[in-house]
């Protein structure tokens, strides 16, 4: 397992590429963690529809077939990979 920090200037391109590569009916789990709520599963076994970054608004959107989850003021993006396979994506916000 390797951890790859994605540089902020590459976020938009990385997410666009990820959206194209994963639009094959792949299901994901969306978990949210925070100091005031702990770790919670927001969606489980949801069909991935895309991910985007808007640098002007400083927001990442993760889309599934039933949800648009916004991450405001992201500060760090880390891809957790096994070989060439993305296993998890960690996006840390300003909080």
């Amino acid at each position: 397992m390797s951890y790859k920090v994605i540089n902020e200037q590459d976020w938009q391109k990385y997410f666009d590429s990820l959206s194209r590569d994963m639009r094959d009916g792949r299901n994901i789990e969306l978990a949210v963690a925070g100091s005031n709520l702990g770790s919670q599963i927001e969606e489980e076994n949801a069909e991935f529809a895309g991910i985007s970054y808007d640098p002007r608004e400083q927001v990442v959107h993760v889309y599934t077939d039933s949800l648009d989850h916004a991450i405001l003021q992201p500060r760090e993006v880390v891809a957790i990979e096994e070989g060439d396979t993305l296993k998890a994506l960690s996006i840390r916000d300003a909080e």
Side-chain angles (χ1 to χ4, degrees), residues 71-88:
I71 303 163
L72 306 175
Q73 298 179 325
R75 294 293 177 247
E76 180 182 60
V77 175
V78 178
I80 302 159
E81 301 173 332
E82 191 172 292
D84 289 338
T85 304
L86 179 66
K87 292 295 185 177

Side-chain angles (χ1 to χ4, degrees), residues 2-62:
S2 64
Y3 295 79
K4 177 180 166 186
V5 175
I6 311 300
N7 293 321
E8 184 174 354
Q9 66 267 21
D10 298 328
W11 289 354
Q12 193 169 18
K13 183 179 175 183
Y14 179 79
F15 292 145
D16 289 348
S17 175
L18 193 61
S19 291
R20 280 190 306 275
D21 294 347
M22 290 183 56
R23 282 214 174 149
D24 57 2
R26 196 174 309 203
N27 288 350
I28 64 167
E29 176 179 284
L30 182 61
V32 178
S35 58
N36 60 343
L37 59 109
S39 182
Q40 298 182 3
I41 305 285
E42 187 161 341
E43 284 220 310
E44 206 169 19
N45 203 30
E47 187 174 330
F48 178 76
I51 185 168
S52 66
Y53 174 61
D54 181 340
R56 278 184 295 192
E57 297 292 324
Q58 293 188 350
V59 62
V60 172
H61 287 274
V62 179

